[in-house]
Amino acid sequence: MQTPFRVAVIGAGPSGLYTAAALVSTGTPVAVDVFDRLPAPFGLVRYGVAPDHLRTKSVTRALQRPFMESSGVRFLGHVPVGPAGLSAEVLREHYHAVVWASGSISDRGLGIDGETLEGSHGSGEFVSWYSGHPDHIAVRPDLAHSGAVVVGAGNVALDIARILVRSPGELASTDVPDDVLELLRRSEVSDVHIVVRRGPEHVKFTSPELRQLGALEGVDVIVEDRHVIASVDAGALERRQAQNLAILGSWADSTVPARDPGRRRVHLHFLRTPRRLVGQGGRVVGLVVERTEVRDGRLVGTGEEELIHAGLVVRAIGYRSEPIDGLPHDPIRGIVPNVGGRVVDGDRTLTGCYVTGWLKRGPTGVIGTNKACGEETAGAVLSDLGALPAAVEPDPEAIDRRLAELGIVPVVWTDWQRLDDAEVGLGRTRGGAERVKIAHIDAMLAAARGTEAAVPAE
Ligand code: NAP
């Protein structure tokens, strides 16, 4: 039976998968092909959610449901979408609607001197490295220094700081690839400095994540400049800010522990703006920050500079999306301009073209935020379907032939299940980890297709 409407979703992360689920949930006859350039689904859940946040990662059980329920949703992984692969033109020929869900993958920069030194990383590449993203296995940060800096006051900064100080024993029970675990096991990082440009009342941390930092085994949290916490008017804060302030206050009030070589420390520095990275022989050795203060509600530099010694500087200051061929782009917000998910170019709505997730609203919110976001976009697609131009190619299987002509052999759901089994199997051999990621693309494909040894040396 031919399905009247076909929708392509580009990106098998949470936003794409929530959208796919919503598209097939109403009974409207829709077939959805979810494309991803990687052989594995789940995008940000697999490659962004911290490895020690297992509960958050378990959302994959809900996200995979449409693939398991013969609901007309297919997974087509390892498919490059763009001029060098499946082009916008081919997509237009085969689908009534295309939903772009490819996220915001580029790191924002600080725009200061020294950012390109070795040892300076964006959070995207750093998180991708420890998450076993195939594009970033070569990052291998140098952890042979006692000091590390993480710039930013969002949850990504907390994730990175936590992974750097967590004990290797605890990390072994997560899904980090073996070589990542080995590097973290040998890490000499003992002091991680989180640099926050504004005051404690402005941090973007969520309170459970902040609290988690203080509960880490073998780790002391030290609030530098304790008076900064005391100077905040707690009565004027919203709930999350007040909770954060209470947590920070309890740390600031406790006695600073004596330096114990057997423990690691996270130092929180407020009202410090990064000014330049200092290097030696091409490698970063520290970050110069300027003390700032709030005058008449504005953040101003005091001219007083400090050097924080560090062999690793990670900026966790947000992400932006890159322009997509054939789509308008808002470089300031780093999104594709849209109204409720319908892509717009100035006054014009681009027929059959939609966005969801970070590409639609910017890099904000938790994984669950994508559910309502995906439902909104799916609602727009479904209500437009009757008015969309018929796909040029009426045969739903023609896209498979087209992919073959392009030399593209997609990783389908049953292939992913084989790769999934291989990773779960590796987890069993590493002290009962739920899984151990296979990061190398060839090894992922081999495991998915069952063609050769699942895990060549990486
Ligand atoms: P974020 O929450 O937007 O935080 C970015 C931080 O970078 C802010 O503190 C910002 O400070 C700071 N910043 C920006 N430009 C800066 C500069 N030039 N110099 C110094 N600091 C600068 O972004 P994120 O941490 O990347 O997180 C992205 C989204 O994913 C967020 O919605 C986050 O909650 C979510 N996430 C959630 C979890 C979880 O739930 N466990 C984990 C990871 C990520 P200002 O406020 O002063 O601009």
Side-chain angles (χ1 to χ4, degrees), residues 69 82-83 97 109 111 188 191 358 361 368:
E69 288 172 348
E188 290 170 34
D191 290 78
W358 281 8
R361 56 174 212 277

Side-chain angles (χ1 to χ4, degrees), residues 107-110 115 117-130 139 141-143 147-153 156-161 164 189 192-196 274 277 284 286-287 310-319:
D107 286 312
R108 290 188 52 223
L110 286 163
E115 248 183 310
L117 286 166
E118 242 180 87
S120 160
H121 301 272
S123 55
E125 73 168 16
F126 197 81
V127 169
S128 296
W129 163 70
Y130 65 61
V139 170
D142 182 354
L143 304 177
V149 167
V150 184
V151 178
V156 172
L158 288 181
D159 283 347
I160 292 168
L164 284 171
V189 173
V192 176
H193 301 266
I194 300 182
V195 169
V196 180
L277 281 82
V284 68
L287 175 72
L312 173 76
V313 174
V314 187
R315 49 183 196 280
I317 59 169
Y319 302 107

Side-chain angles (χ1 to χ4, degrees), residues 110 153-156 159 197-198 204 209 316-318 358 363-366:
L110 286 163
N155 282 337
V156 172
D159 283 347
R197 67 175 168 182
R198 296 197 282 165
K204 301 232 172 93
E209 276 67 25
I317 59 169
W358 281 8
T364 58
V366 293

